[in-house]
Amino acid sequence: MPCRVILTLAMSVEPQKTFYLETFGCQMNVHDSEKVVGTLVSEGYRQVETVEEAGLVLYNTCSIRDKAEQKVFNRLNDYKKFQKQGKKFGVLGCVAQQEGEKIFERAPYVSLVAGSASYRNLPQMLVQIEAGKSRVTGLDDRETDECFETEFTSRTNPYRGYITIIEGCDKFCAYCVVPYTRGKERSRTSESVLAEARQMADLGYSEIQLLGQNVNSYKDPSGKKTFAELLAAVGEVSGMKRVRFTTSHPRDFGRDIIEAIDAVPTLCDHVHLPVQSGSTRVLDAMQRLYTRDQYLERVSWMTAAKRDISLTSDMIVGFPGETEEDFEQTLSLLEEVGFDAIFGFKYSPRPNTPSLALEDAIPDEEKARRLNVLLEKQRDIQRTSYQRHIGKIVEVMVEGKNEARAQWNGRTTQNTILNFKVPEGVEPAKGSYIQVMITGSFPNSLLGAMVI
Ligand code: 5AD
Ligand code: SF4
């Protein structure tokens, strides 16, 4: 008898809809994926770990460099065999926005192509896919949507979370696709950002990262707060221990941001300020809207701050027309500034961008050589400069444990990775904050021991 009851129940329940989502690219995409997951789960879908298990396979894509874009098409090619099993495929994010309906021609088994500004409408798009429509698009909202938040967000980390405060970019650097994929700048009101921060604090989040392609170009539509004031206000939310922000643009980087960091202890000692090149001539060609000296002026504000602010940056080598001399200037900037980390890239021509019209004449091997020289030099700088931390006691948010090495790990307020030992019998909780004495340094991380 009980068996029959179970059978009846099982027959009345529809098989659950499943999806697999892979994310490429920057933190904005990682956070967008959290919005996509939240929306799909609210629509009754269950997230699965493999393509094999999924009914719907989604790729949230990045088109910042050609290599990132190619990855997505390779992935789609690898998995097109699953189409015969009735799986549906969707391309989301920047490649979707950039390539639009052309994706259907290139990969006919794809049934959804949607840019980031349309995720709010995913429920309606899903209904169409479920009804068997083969070419569903969400591509039109990028210039017009003022509200880029979705109703649901499924954050993956229970302690540290992102909040998008500004979408899009109006800077139009010569090499960059972002203004075309993410559209014009749109900021959220400071009230809605603060409400989300308070809600997250109530849920137990103690670290928040404010996101935007140009986070410091933030303009409060309600006119109440500047970026620096919003940053300070998020830092003052009850329960908040750490507030970060990324990515900043040097042109809009005001001294008030440094003053806010100095004044509000919860704001982290870290600024990511991409410089791209050390040569004013190249910066001009890149349409970056600042000179080497203006960048160095901003660095001097950080050096003069009361807090020990760690500075990291992005660099592009091999931009059209970059001479050996220009490149030398980028190397000399590394020495002059003493960045705590850099992300280096070979210039990659992108669709729609102004620099596509310039001849990409520097051979790939030369770009690769310059990139190697750049990264090697930075490694040497970090090898020496990270030693300055040895002997200090710093606060770390505990993130994980490497069982094999019996070592824990986390990040300092400066965003440096710190691996540490804990005393016998102590198990620090993930998400908790502990004090660690720095005992050693490597080019990209620090070593320490928990202090009790
Ligand atoms: N080629 C190489 N690097 C690029 N970036 C942006 N566009 C390109 C491009 N076309 C780099 C910049 C930016 C980072 C996110 O990616 O350094 O700051
Ligand atoms: Fe791209 Fe420049 Fe905008 Fe940054 S500021 S997103 S590099 S166009």
Side-chain angles (χ1 to χ4, degrees):
M1 199 57 179
C3 281
R4 201 183 301 159
V5 174
I6 290 168
L7 193 68
T8 317
L9 268 176
M11 280 166 63
S12 67
V13 174
E14 272 188 47
Q16 200 175 12
K17 300 173 284 190
T18 50
F19 73 99
Y20 169 85
L21 172 64
E22 184 173 356
T23 307
F24 300 86
C26 64
Q27 285 132 319
M28 296 285 283
N29 262 16
V30 171
H31 185 39
D32 280 347
S33 282
E34 294 179 335
K35 297 176 195 175
V36 170
V37 172
T39 307
L40 265 76
V41 168
S42 76
E43 291 297 309
Y45 281 75
R46 180 167 60 87
Q47 189 171 16
V48 293
E49 297 297 315
T50 61
V51 173
E52 283 79 356
E53 294 166 87
L56 177 63
V57 179
L58 298 172
Y59 296 106
N60 188 6
T61 62
C62 168
S63 66
I64 197 92
R65 283 168 293 276
D66 185 55
K67 223 167 147 187
E69 186 178 331
Q70 291 321 319
K71 257 191 212 162
V72 177
F73 287 104
N74 292 343
R75 210 51 119 246
L76 282 168
N77 248 337
D78 286 351
Y79 290 121
K80 72 175 171 205
K81 58 178 185 263
F82 288 122
Q83 172 209 12
K84 292 203 184 71
Q85 300 170 9
K87 287 187 202 303
K88 310 262 183 184
F89 289 84
V91 178
L92 308 177
C94 293
V95 176
Q97 190 64 56
Q98 178 187 294
E99 297 297 307
E101 303 199 7
K102 278 189 271 173
I103 293 176
F104 294 130
E105 308 303 328
R106 202 163 156 183
Y109 43 92
V110 168
S111 41
L112 170 69
V113 172
S116 61
S118 71
Y119 297 158
R120 213 176 35 252
N121 305 324
L122 270 172
Q124 293 91 296
M125 295 190 253
L126 292 170
V127 169
Q128 295 181 44
I129 295 173
E130 285 161 20
K133 193 164 172 217
S134 59
R135 292 184 169 197
V136 179
T137 56
L139 298 166
D140 305 326
D141 303 338
R142 159 183 67 130
E143 297 296 330
T144 50
D145 82 312
E146 295 299 331
C147 162
F148 40 83
E149 289 307 289
T150 48
E151 199 180 338
F152 301 95
T153 302
S154 166
R155 291 193 163 84
T156 42
N157 182 310
Y159 323 109
R160 176 169 17 96
Y162 298 121
I163 301 182
T164 314
I165 66 164
I166 173 169
E167 258 288 356
C169 178
D170 289 347
K171 288 286 187 293
F172 293 91
C173 298
Y175 51 80
C176 186
V177 283
V178 168
Y180 313 95
T181 55
R182 292 211 175 240
K184 67 179 171 62
E185 280 177 3
R186 290 99 67 203
S187 298
R188 278 171 70 181
T189 62
S190 52
E191 290 97 333
S192 95
V193 173
L194 282 165
E196 190 168 358
R198 285 190 204 105
Q199 206 180 30
M200 287 171 68
D202 289 345
L203 289 169
Y205 284 87
S206 62
E207 180 173 325
I208 281 182
Q209 186 156 357
L210 302 182
L211 290 182
Q213 256 83 32
N214 264 322
V215 75
N216 58 323
S217 306
Y218 174 80
K219 272 180 207 67
D220 187 354
S222 57
K224 294 201 173 132
K225 292 202 187 314
T226 62
F227 171 66
E229 286 165 352
L230 177 61
L231 194 59
V234 175
E236 278 156 4
V237 165
S238 167
M240 209 44 67
K241 295 268 291 174
R242 285 182 169 181
V243 178
R244 304 184 186 278
F245 57 100
T246 202
T247 287
S248 298
H249 190 289
R251 167 71 174 234
D252 300 332
F253 198 91
R255 222 176 180 147
D256 55 346
I257 299 174
I258 302 299
E259 285 160 4
I261 295 177
D262 264 346
V264 182
T266 49
L267 302 188
C268 287
D269 296 354
H270 174 221
V271 172
H272 183 65
L273 194 63
V275 61
Q276 314 296 2
S277 169
S279 153
T280 295
R281 211 184 61 80
V282 173
L283 289 173
D284 190 43
M286 287 176 164
Q287 300 168 27
R288 284 291 289 176
L289 312 172
Y290 56 86
T291 62
R292 176 187 173 111
D293 284 345
Q294 284 166 336
Y295 187 86
L296 286 171
E297 187 188 13
R298 279 136 187 83
V299 175
S300 73
W301 299 339
M302 289 181 233
T303 321
K306 286 182 243 150
R307 304 268 293 271
D308 179 11
I309 297 175
S310 161
L311 178 60
T312 58
S313 199
D314 295 345
M315 310 272 179
I316 296 175
V317 297
F319 185 77
E322 183 190 69
T323 62
E324 192 55 41
E325 228 169 54
D326 292 318
F327 177 59
E328 288 294 329
Q329 287 189 36
T330 297
L331 295 179
S332 82
L333 189 82
L334 288 193
E335 280 192 6
E336 197 164 342
V337 175
F339 294 105
D340 262 341
I342 61 161
F343 299 91
F345 309 101
K346 292 187 283 183
Y347 168 69
S348 165
R350 306 306 297 132
N352 306 318
T353 60
S355 68
L356 197 63
L358 307 172
E359 195 191 350
D360 181 28
I362 303 174
D364 193 58
E365 307 81 71
E366 176 56 15
K367 286 182 191 164
R369 186 195 68 81
R370 289 184 193 180
L371 185 60
N372 263 338
V373 172
L374 181 85
L375 297 179
E376 264 311 305
K377 185 168 190 78
Q378 178 61 23
R379 212 176 150 77
D380 281 348
I381 291 171
Q382 285 174 218
R383 191 174 283 123
T384 314
S385 78
Y386 278 25
Q387 290 172 2
R388 72 184 189 276
H389 299 292
I390 294 175
K392 286 185 197 160
I393 293 177
V394 299
E395 189 180 61
V396 168
M397 190 222 244
V398 179
E399 292 192 26
K401 186 180 183 184
N402 180 332
E403 295 287 349
R405 290 194 179 167
Q407 243 178 20
W408 293 76
N409 55 61
R411 280 177 191 265
T412 68
T413 164
Q414 296 189 326
N415 210 30
T416 313
I417 295 168
L418 174 51
N419 296 300
F420 55 94
K421 299 268 180 199
V422 304
E424 191 84 28
V426 176
E427 283 278 311
K430 284 186 189 165
S432 65
Y433 292 81
I434 60 162
Q435 302 292 313
V436 173
M437 161 80 85
I438 312 280
T439 55
S441 74
F442 299 99
N444 286 306
S445 64
L446 297 169
L447 199 63
M450 180 176 172
V451 178
I452 32 179

